[in-house]
């Protein structure tokens, strides 16, 4: 896909006319004009007019040769969320399809009593449910995310990392599951650039260094293959296949390999006219060069779940280096690049309906999303289930009749049984794996043949099965069984669990479980009454902790306010008693005023050398902040400023707390080197915290005691000298 050029509406219309009718082109132009009017006077973080973003999103969809409604949805995807336009207006101006697609990608409005993570989970749930109804919703969302990733440089580093993490966790795996490799690779490579810039640019540099050598080698291979194919009159398009940065990085991290140990950097792709020709070319390749054992994969006979088909083989090439070869037909190549989008593509003004039913059957996994969301009342739990079932590595097993069943890696025979049918799962008493009896918690492996043993006299699932099974489908079916079979028992059990959780907050259930409060909560989780809610807790459809937290939130908030007020009064009394010592110890003097309580703010921890302002608090004297502290930048705060200055004779005697955040490449010994560097400056450390993510990015937070900004500067410069440290920043509390 074109990454650099900024498309105009005329570029999009010209491209659309290559496969759509004039009426369709007029339809998408009308969508552009509507979006342009709606987004007038709006600008992106980059300073560009906002309409540039929807135009680029529509451009990506046109490159995928999508239908007119989807392209119109690309132009209009933000109008409901960011302007006064409503879904109803879109349906009136365009049609029901366009309105439905835009509504599917529109984030939910403000939700009370939810964290940012919960709101994001709710937004994702809405998007996935809309996708289950019409797959084009996710194609618009992927195009939207792709352009946002291309322009991520205009956002602050923290947002860059958050959005890149979300892209790797949700959108890139989803593009993979839909088979759209052109979007998947770009999303992954761009995310890596922001999450681990050092490794990203290191791999780029290493690939540049050997580019000429690789290109020469690939050319020799292609010439030899062409010569061999000409001798048997086989026509083929042969090209070198570029290896994407993120896949190289993952292999280096997961397999603990160096760059020069990655075998499939050298790859050739051969595209032929028919399946018969694919196998003929494979025979020629294996005749020319010796195949490596265990490196042949036939995805034509056994396509991947995302419809991908190709022959993969790795051979020892002409110079003794491993060489990967992919062989496929033109149609297979189109599906490999554009995945499910290839089935929605328009040719000569009409939709391709060829094999439409069969491809929808192959992608039944996303239809299961509707069932999951109906059974899961908590959005964050829904997203975790989705990640496990859709985005984890997969294992492929066989029924006794030879049918292939796809399950998440780590699945057990019970997951297989419930995948076949609910009743088979409920009546399972054992399983034969490859003809041998195995326990129900046996971890399935690729190629296992599974025969499920059932009995009509079975008592049904055990509660332990919820801990054994891996898939959301199996867990939901087990929960449904308990829900139907033991309602009264579950209601009583659920109520006991909720009351126990309420007592853990040091509250009495009687003061919490009023009918009004119960109604507020059970309606929030889409239950019809409190008994349904208790029953769901009893069969583990929702946790007692979630219900109890929601039931007690208002009471706890009121109690917290009372405690905060009492604490404030105690603090004021205590600080008034120690007024003189506080004034003396702060090292700050209020100009023109004496005998005032002065304290250094803990939110920004000012130190001698910082520009500072005094802020008059209510009943707590003067609070001293750094001049750039965001907590005192409002107009109301500025009206309460006082002129303050550092006492010159105090700056080298007192020590001040400063919080630093250090980011870098997560390697062994990095934390020790940081601590040693600080110790070398004869600086006391009062607190250390560290964490790392799966992209090998380490974040170290330390609190140190310093005398002034000169002292701080020396420490920061010393830390920056450490290998693999990217940034050192002073943080706010």
């Amino acid at each position: 896909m074109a990454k650099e050029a900024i498309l105009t509406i005329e570029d999009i219309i010209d491209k659309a006319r290559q496969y759509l009718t004039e009426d369709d082109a007029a339809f998408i132009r009308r969508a552009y004009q509507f979006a342009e009017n709606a987004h007038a006077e709006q600008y992106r973080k980059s300073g560009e007019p906002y309409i540039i973003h929807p135009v680029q999103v529509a451009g990506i969809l046109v490159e995928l040769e999508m239908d007119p409604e989807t392209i119109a949805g690309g132009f209009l995807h933000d109008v409901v969320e960011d302007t006064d336009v409503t879904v109803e207006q879109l349906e009136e101006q365009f049609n029901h399809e366009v309105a439905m697609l835009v509504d599917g990608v529109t984030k939910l409005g403000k939700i009370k009593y939810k964290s940012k993570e919960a709101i994001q989970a709710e937004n994702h749930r809405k998007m996935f449910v809309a996708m289950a109804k019409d797959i084009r919703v996710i194609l618009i969302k992927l195009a939207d995310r792709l352009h946002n990733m291309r322009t991520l440089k205009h956002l602050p580093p923290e947002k860059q990392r958050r959005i890149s993490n979300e892209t790797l966790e949700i959108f890139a795996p989803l593009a993979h599951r839909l088979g759209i490799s052109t979007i998947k690779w770009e999303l992954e490579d761009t995310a890596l650039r922001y999450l681990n810039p050092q490794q990203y640019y290191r791999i780029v540099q290493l690939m540049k260094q050997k580019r000429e050598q690789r290109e020469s080698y690939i050319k020799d291979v292609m010439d030899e293959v062409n010569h061999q194919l000409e001798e048997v009159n086989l026509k083929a398009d042969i090209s070198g296949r570029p290896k994407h940065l993120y896949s190289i990085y993952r292999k280096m991290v997961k397999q603990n390999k160096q760059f020069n140990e990655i075998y499939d950097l050298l790859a050739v792709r051969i595209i032929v006219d028919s399946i018969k020709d694919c196998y003929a070319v494979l025979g020629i390749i294996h005749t020319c060069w010796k195949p490596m054992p265990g490196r042949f994969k036939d995805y034509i006979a056994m396509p991947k779940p995302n419809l991908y088909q190709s022959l993969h083989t790795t051979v020892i090439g002409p110079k003794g280096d491993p060489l990967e070869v992919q062989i496929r037909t033109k149609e297979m190549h189109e599906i490999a690049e554009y995945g499910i989008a290839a089935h929605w593509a328009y040719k000569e003004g009409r939709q391709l309906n060829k094999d439409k039913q069969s491809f929808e059957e192959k992608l039944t996994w996303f239809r299961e999303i509707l069932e999951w969301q109906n059974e899961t009342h908590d959005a964050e739990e829904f997203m975790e289930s989705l990640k496990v079932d859709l985005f984890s590595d997969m294992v492929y097993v066989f029924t006794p009749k030879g049918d292939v069943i796809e399950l998440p890696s780590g699945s057990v025979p019970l997951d297989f049984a419930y995948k076949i049918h609910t009743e088979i799962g409920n009546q399972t008493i054992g399983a034969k794996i490859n003809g041998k009896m195995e326990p129900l918690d046996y971890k399935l492996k690729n190629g296992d043949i599974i025969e499920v043993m059932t009995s009509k006299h079975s008592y049904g699932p055990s509660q332990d099965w919820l801990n054994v099974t891996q898939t959301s489908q199996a867990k939901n079916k087990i929960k449904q069984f308990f829900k139907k079979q033991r309602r009264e028992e579950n209601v009583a059990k659920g109520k006991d669990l909720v009351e126990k959780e309420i007592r853990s907050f040091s509250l009495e259930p009687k003061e919490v479980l009023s009918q009004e409060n119960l109604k507020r909560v059970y309606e929030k989780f889409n239950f019809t009454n409190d008994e349904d809610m208790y029953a769901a807790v009893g069969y583990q459809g929702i946790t007692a902790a979630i219900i109890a937290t929601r039931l007690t939130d208002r009471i706890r908030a009121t109690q917290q306010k009372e405690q905060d007020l009492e604490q404030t009064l105690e603090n004021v009394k205590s600080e008034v008693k120690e007024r003189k010592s506080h004034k003396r110890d702060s090292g700050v003097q209020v100009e023109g005023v004496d005998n005032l309580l002065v304290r250094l703010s803990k939110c920004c921890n000012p130190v001698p050398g910082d520009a500072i302002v005094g802020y008059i608090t209510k009943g707590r004297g003067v609070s001293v902040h750094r001049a750039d502290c965001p907590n005192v930048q409002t107009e109301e705060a500025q009206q309460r400023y006082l002129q303050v200055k550092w006492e010159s004779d105090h700056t080298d005697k007192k020590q001040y707390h400063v919080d630093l955040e250090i980011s870098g490449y997560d390697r062994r010994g990095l934390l020790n080197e940081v601590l040693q560097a600080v110790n070398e400056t004869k600086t006391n450390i009062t607190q250390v915290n560290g964490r790392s993510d799966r992209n090998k990015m380490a974040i170290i937070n330390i609190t140190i005691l310093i005398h002034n900004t000169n002292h701080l500067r020396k420490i920061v410069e010393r830390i920056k000298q450490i290998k693999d440290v990217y940034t050192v920043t002073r943080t706010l509390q």
Side-chain angles (χ1 to χ4, degrees):
M1 305 192 101
K3 299 181 189 179
E4 301 299 331
I6 297 178
L7 298 174
T8 66
I9 178 60
E10 296 308 325
D11 295 332
I12 292 171
I13 295 295
D14 290 344
K15 171 69 177 172
R17 283 196 177 111
Q18 294 175 20
Y19 70 98
L20 294 177
T21 65
E22 283 299 322
D23 287 345
D24 292 334
F27 180 79
I28 63 175
R29 186 185 287 277
R30 189 157 59 85
Y32 161 75
Q33 290 165 344
F34 188 96
E36 186 180 38
N37 292 333
H39 290 299
E41 306 302 322
Q42 289 184 342
Y43 295 89
R44 303 197 85 205
K45 294 283 185 186
S46 61
E48 299 171 321
Y50 194 90
I51 189 62
I52 287 178
H53 170 62
V55 170
Q56 304 318 301
V57 171
I60 292 167
L61 295 168
V62 166
E63 287 183 39
L64 294 172
E65 298 195 353
M66 297 304 296
D67 60 291
E69 282 75 19
T70 308
I71 298 166
F75 280 121
L76 301 165
H77 75 277
D78 275 337
V79 295
V80 173
E81 186 176 331
D82 294 339
T83 75
D84 295 331
V85 175
T86 64
V87 174
E88 290 72 26
Q89 285 175 300
L90 289 180
E91 185 162 356
E92 185 180 327
Q93 289 287 327
F94 297 95
N95 56 40
H96 175 71
E97 270 188 88
V98 171
M100 181 270 297
L101 292 173
V102 173
D103 185 45
V105 294
T106 300
K107 291 178 184 174
L108 300 168
K110 291 182 179 178
I111 304 173
K112 294 182 180 179
Y113 311 115
K114 285 196 175 282
S115 64
K116 286 183 180 178
E117 291 77 12
I119 293 172
Q120 189 73 321
E122 288 281 12
N123 285 328
H124 286 147
R125 164 146 71 173
K126 180 188 176 189
M127 178 184 71
F128 278 105
V129 171
M131 165 188 133
K133 295 174 183 173
D134 194 318
I135 199 68
R136 291 174 295 175
V137 167
I138 207 63
L139 296 175
I140 296 173
K141 191 64 185 176
L142 285 172
D144 172 47
R145 177 51 61 109
L146 180 58
H147 184 249
N148 282 335
M149 291 299 291
R150 289 175 180 175
T151 56
L152 206 57
K153 63 184 177 184
H154 301 292
L155 295 181
E158 184 184 341
K159 275 195 172 182
Q160 289 174 347
R161 289 197 295 269
R162 177 178 60 76
I163 292 170
S164 296
N165 258 323
E166 184 183 66
T167 298
L168 281 184
E169 284 187 357
I170 294 175
F171 292 101
L174 190 55
H176 173 68
R177 289 287 274 165
L178 296 173
I180 313 174
S181 63
T182 52
I183 289 180
K184 177 204 174 203
W185 292 122
E186 189 177 341
L187 288 176
E188 289 181 336
D189 285 358
T190 314
L192 176 62
R193 176 180 163 191
Y194 292 102
L195 288 171
N196 199 333
Q198 187 183 39
Q199 285 291 81
Y200 174 86
Y201 289 111
R202 176 171 170 257
I203 293 169
V204 168
Q205 195 60 36
L206 287 167
M207 291 191 75
K208 278 183 181 176
Q209 289 171 5
K210 294 191 176 182
R211 177 173 291 171
E212 287 185 15
Q213 178 185 340
R214 278 202 315 275
E215 288 177 352
S216 170
Y217 180 83
I218 291 294
K219 184 180 182 303
D220 292 344
V221 170
M222 289 165 57
D223 290 343
E224 176 63 23
V225 172
N226 261 322
H227 173 70
Q228 295 289 339
L229 295 183
E230 283 172 3
E231 287 193 353
V232 292
N233 293 323
L234 260 176
K235 292 181 180 179
D237 292 328
I238 307 172
S239 60
R241 182 184 67 84
K243 187 71 177 174
H244 295 276
L245 302 176
Y246 184 73
S247 61
I248 296 172
Y249 168 75
R250 277 194 68 184
K251 286 196 174 184
M252 290 171 67
V253 172
K254 278 195 167 186
Q255 300 174 19
N256 197 24
K257 289 184 175 181
Q258 294 300 313
F259 181 82
N260 56 9
E261 295 178 294
I262 306 295
Y263 288 154
D264 50 359
L265 286 173
L266 300 171
V268 170
R269 180 176 290 146
I270 304 172
I271 300 176
V272 293
D273 292 329
S274 68
I275 293 176
K276 179 183 73 173
D277 290 346
C278 290
Y279 289 98
V281 170
L282 177 69
I284 290 168
I285 296 294
H286 282 180
T287 304
C288 288
W289 298 294
K290 189 174 182 180
M292 289 180 66
R295 299 281 295 175
F296 169 66
K297 292 175 183 174
D298 188 343
Y299 294 119
I300 294 179
M302 281 185 60
K304 289 185 179 182
N306 61 8
L307 311 180
Y308 177 89
Q309 287 184 289
S310 190
L311 295 177
H312 288 198
T313 186
T314 303
V315 296
I316 303 299
K319 295 182 181 178
D321 294 320
L323 170 72
E324 186 185 79
V325 181
Q326 295 180 352
I327 309 165
R328 61 179 70 147
T329 66
K330 291 173 184 175
E331 185 180 352
M332 290 173 192
H333 181 64
E334 187 177 351
I335 292 171
E337 293 293 299
Y338 301 111
I340 196 169
H343 290 275
W344 278 103
Y346 267 55
K347 305 291 181 187
E348 299 170 4
R350 61 187 182 80
Q351 187 177 358
L352 282 174
N353 288 313
K354 178 185 171 186
D355 294 332
K356 187 168 185 294
Q357 184 176 356
S358 70
F359 99 79
E360 285 190 349
E361 286 172 3
K362 289 175 184 175
L363 289 167
T364 51
W365 55 266
F366 72 81
R367 299 290 174 193
E368 295 171 1
I369 295 170
L370 281 176
E371 181 182 337
W372 298 344
Q373 91 95 20
N374 288 333
E375 290 299 318
T376 307
H377 299 281
D378 180 67
E380 291 175 85
E381 182 186 338
F382 167 77
M383 283 308 300
E384 286 306 310
S385 299
L386 199 68
K387 287 176 188 177
V388 169
D389 280 21
L390 297 190
F391 305 149
S392 60
D393 292 332
M394 309 306 290
V395 62
Y396 304 98
V397 295
F398 294 93
T399 66
K401 292 183 179 179
D403 296 327
V404 180
I405 302 296
E406 173 202 20
L407 292 164
S409 183
S411 293
V412 299
L414 287 169
D415 294 302
F416 174 87
Y418 280 103
K419 182 82 173 179
I420 302 299
H421 196 277
T422 303
E423 284 307 307
I424 290 177
N426 288 340
Q427 294 176 8
T428 297
I429 57 172
K432 282 185 179 179
I433 312 294
N434 305 322
K436 179 185 174 184
M437 287 297 296
E438 296 286 357
L440 292 178
D441 61 355
Y442 168 88
K443 301 291 183 189
L444 299 179
K445 300 179 182 66
N446 280 322
D448 281 346
I449 301 170
I450 305 165
E451 182 183 353
V452 177
M453 319 295 291
T454 61
S455 170
K456 291 183 180 179
H457 305 294
S458 165
Y459 290 105
S462 158
Q463 284 280 0
D464 291 339
W465 287 11
L466 288 170
N467 300 323
V468 173
T469 50
Q470 296 296 308
T471 62
S472 300
Q473 183 183 29
K475 290 181 188 296
N476 286 331
K477 297 299 183 186
I478 295 166
K479 289 173 185 176
Q480 283 179 14
F481 176 86
F482 291 125
K483 179 179 177 181
K484 290 176 184 176
Q485 297 294 317
R486 307 174 183 173
R487 179 174 170 79
E488 288 184 12
E489 182 183 331
N490 283 325
V491 169
K493 181 181 176 182
K495 189 172 183 180
D496 285 344
L497 290 170
V498 170
E499 289 182 354
K500 183 179 178 181
E501 287 291 336
I502 290 171
R503 290 190 185 95
S504 72
F505 290 114
S506 301
L507 295 171
E508 279 300 316
K510 285 183 181 179
E511 62 180 303
V512 175
L513 299 176
S514 66
Q515 200 56 44
E516 181 185 352
N517 200 25
L518 282 167
K519 185 177 180 182
R520 174 178 71 88
V521 174
Y522 69 64
E523 286 182 350
K524 172 66 190 169
F525 291 102
N526 299 320
F527 295 110
T528 53
N529 53 51
D530 56 340
E531 282 199 353
D532 284 350
M533 181 180 74
Y534 287 137
V537 175
Y539 64 76
Q540 298 180 34
I542 191 169
T543 66
I546 291 173
I547 297 296
T549 300
R550 188 68 62 173
L551 283 167
T552 60
D553 55 2
R554 293 183 177 179
I555 296 174
R556 287 184 292 110
T558 303
Q559 288 181 344
Q560 188 62 46
K561 284 180 182 177
E562 291 172 356
Q563 289 173 8
D564 289 346
L565 182 59
E566 288 177 10
Q567 188 62 47
T568 301
L569 290 171
E570 287 298 320
N571 289 343
V572 169
K573 289 176 184 176
S574 174
E575 291 194 24
V576 166
K577 287 179 183 177
E578 299 176 9
R579 180 173 299 177
K580 289 182 181 179
S581 61
H582 270 273
K583 176 178 177 291
R584 185 173 63 251
D585 288 344
S586 67
V588 175
Q589 184 179 14
V590 181
E591 291 190 10
V593 184
D594 195 14
N595 199 30
L596 269 180
L597 175 65
V598 179
R599 64 186 182 86
L600 300 179
S601 169
K602 291 183 179 179
C603 65
C604 58
N605 285 334
V607 300
D610 285 333
I612 54 174
V613 295
Y615 174 77
I616 304 172
T617 65
K618 295 180 181 178
R620 300 180 68 187
V622 176
S623 176
V624 178
H625 293 255
R626 278 163 40 193
D628 60 352
C629 177
N631 292 329
V632 289
Q633 297 302 317
T634 63
E635 287 185 19
E636 181 186 353
Q638 289 172 5
Q639 291 172 2
R640 296 163 70 177
Y641 276 6
L642 271 181
Q643 291 294 319
V644 292
K645 65 179 182 180
W646 295 104
E647 294 178 349
S648 58
D649 62 341
H650 217 81
T651 56
D652 292 329
K653 299 174 184 177
K654 183 171 170 59
Q655 291 185 315
Y656 299 83
H657 284 87
V658 167
D659 298 308
L660 294 178
E661 180 173 287
I662 301 148
S663 68
Y665 175 63
D666 182 22
R667 61 170 172 81
R668 184 175 296 174
L670 179 63
L671 177 59
N672 285 338
E673 289 182 31
V674 169
L675 298 180
Q676 186 178 349
V678 176
N679 284 330
E680 285 173 4
T681 64
K682 297 181 179 178
T683 302
N684 289 328
I685 301 172
T686 63
Q687 189 171 342
V688 179
N689 280 305
R691 66 184 186 279
S692 65
D693 58 26
R694 64 181 183 184
N695 295 300
K696 306 292 284 182
M697 174 70 86
I699 302 292
I700 301 169
N701 295 99
I702 64 171
T703 303
I704 57 178
L705 292 173
I706 65 163
H707 296 299
N708 49 46
T709 51
N710 288 334
H711 185 187
L712 176 61
R713 195 175 298 112
K714 289 176 185 176
I715 297 167
V716 171
E717 287 172 357
R718 177 65 187 84
I719 295 172
K720 282 185 174 179
Q721 293 171 8
I722 299 171
K723 182 187 174 186
D724 294 326
V725 167
Y726 303 154
T727 60
V728 182
T729 54
R730 190 171 165 188
T731 58
L732 298 175
Q733 288 289 348

